[in-house]
Amino acid sequence: MKRLLTIRLSALGDVIHTIPAVLSLRSAFDVSWVVERPYAELVQIVTGVSVIPVRLKKWSLSAILTARDAVRDFDEAIDFQGLIKSALLAWTAAPSRYGFARSAVREKPAALFYNHRIAVDQSKHVVDWNLQLAQALAANRKPQTANWTAFPQDAQNRLSTFRHKIVLLPGTGRLEKIWPMERFRELVRRYGDRTLVVWGPDELNLARAIGGLIAPETNLRELAFILQHAHVVVGGDTGPLHLADALGTRVVGLYGPTDPARNGPYGQLQRTIRHSNSMESITAEEVMRKIEE
């Protein structure tokens, strides 16, 4: 069986959106996935493929050269990321390299490193982009089952009191994706101790500003446990929202600058609210109606 290197380094939501495509390749290839270290355990447990963890978030040529030694001697490589650093990894890994056509990659020079550039329907969701790219290597292969139930973990048995909450995700990776704090406060005033504010790195002060019950610091598997057992999860276009969706939890996605048709919670696009002019245009009343549906 040919050895295939799949590349999607980060971020959490993008890794989750790549999993169906990788699972569609698993029956045709001996698959390895190179990914940023914080997501390595998730990828290994959920997909069952071999994982090559790297640290390339702040990359340099020396970092690429270090990673190169771990990705040698593959028959094929497929780059789902479309960045120069991910394309360089593909170029060092295999003689046959697949990636998106130039119009679909974020960093246009990345396409120069592929010898198979695949056009995809850019009107569709990124999950479908990834599946279309995977079809270039393994046509008509349906994704195998992801092992999502094995990932959530409460190893220290400290999270059971946070079950069945309306989980609020105030933080996002970009300022323009943040829903105003006052709107989150309105949800806390409406639902009281039924709410739980979850926070990530550098977000504790943000969580405190909302008020109400605040979750403890969690690792990724503990976060997944809280999301898995939530009544509903409310948040913007952020990794934990996509994780909740993948775990089968009901979500309410809040969207402004990004289009949920392309980047929304893939299994629950009907549960998103979008005001393309700004996040501030989304009212608390709209969100409450979605929660109460």
Side-chain angles (χ1 to χ4, degrees):
M1 185 175 284
K2 286 186 175 181
R3 299 182 69 222
L4 171 66
L5 182 70
T6 62
I7 304 166
R8 179 78 226 196
L9 302 171
S10 63
L12 176 59
D14 298 309
V15 169
I16 291 167
H17 288 157
T18 307
I19 284 173
V22 172
L23 289 173
S24 74
L25 295 165
R26 198 172 64 178
S27 63
F29 294 94
D30 177 9
V31 179
S32 296
W33 185 337
V34 59
V35 67
E36 288 284 349
R37 191 170 297 277
Y39 313 119
E41 187 176 31
L42 180 149
V43 167
Q44 197 282 319
I45 291 172
V46 173
T47 69
V49 303
S50 299
V51 175
I52 302 171
V54 295
R55 292 192 184 277
L56 290 173
K57 191 171 184 179
K58 295 181 179 179
W59 73 284
S60 63
L61 183 57
S62 63
I64 289 287
L65 292 174
T66 299
R68 177 189 62 182
D69 294 334
V71 297
R72 288 183 180 276
D73 301 324
F74 284 85
D75 300 298
E76 314 262 9
I78 183 169
D79 178 18
F80 292 102
Q81 188 126 14
L83 299 179
I84 293 171
K85 63 182 176 182
S86 57
L88 277 169
L89 283 178
W91 182 66
T92 64
S96 179
R97 301 173 297 278
Y98 289 75
F100 294 112
R102 191 174 187 275
S103 62
V105 294
R106 189 186 308 174
E107 295 179 353
K108 303 305 181 187
L112 297 173
F113 294 93
Y114 313 137
N115 42 27
H116 303 279
R117 302 174 187 89
I118 307 304
V120 296
D121 184 348
Q122 295 180 49
S123 68
K124 293 191 173 182
H125 195 282
V126 291
V127 170
D128 297 306
W129 291 30
N130 293 331
L131 286 167
Q132 288 175 41
L133 179 54
Q135 286 286 303
L137 281 90
N140 302 317
R141 302 271 182 164
K142 292 185 177 180
Q144 297 181 4
T145 302
N147 190 19
W148 281 109
T149 59
F151 185 67
Q153 183 183 67
D154 181 18
Q156 298 180 26
N157 195 30
R158 65 191 182 106
L159 304 175
S160 59
T161 58
F162 302 117
R163 293 171 181 259
H164 312 304
K165 298 291 187 181
I166 298 171
V167 171
L168 308 180
L169 304 172
T172 70
R174 287 162 45 190
L175 289 176
E176 64 268 27
K177 294 182 180 182
I178 292 179
W179 196 42
M181 292 304 100
E182 178 54 36
R183 309 288 165 76
F184 278 111
R185 291 190 194 105
E186 290 184 56
L187 299 187
V188 172
R189 286 194 290 268
R190 172 66 176 268
Y191 298 110
D193 60 7
R194 292 177 61 195
T195 60
L196 176 69
V197 183
V198 169
W199 52 281
D202 302 318
E203 294 176 356
L204 180 55
N205 289 337
L206 189 65
R208 287 172 173 163
I210 291 170
L213 182 63
I214 298 175
E217 183 176 9
T218 59
N219 60 36
L220 189 55
R221 297 189 71 178
E222 291 169 334
L223 170 63
F225 182 90
I226 290 175
L227 298 175
Q228 181 185 45
H229 294 285
H231 174 68
V232 63
V233 176
V234 180
D237 181 13
T238 183
L241 184 82
H242 298 296
L243 179 57
D245 176 48
L247 290 165
T249 303
R250 291 172 293 191
V251 304
V252 177
L254 311 179
Y255 282 73
T258 52
D259 185 355
R262 182 185 183 278
N263 294 96
Y266 189 65
Q268 303 180 66
L269 297 180
Q270 76 281 8
R271 293 193 176 124
T272 59
I273 301 170
R274 189 193 188 197
H275 288 212
S276 58
N277 48 339
S278 75
M279 294 291 285
E280 292 182 0
S281 301
I282 301 174
T283 67
E285 288 75 18
E286 286 179 279
V287 177
M288 290 174 192
R289 285 196 295 271
K290 281 288 185 183
I291 291 172
E292 290 163 12
E293 284 177 3

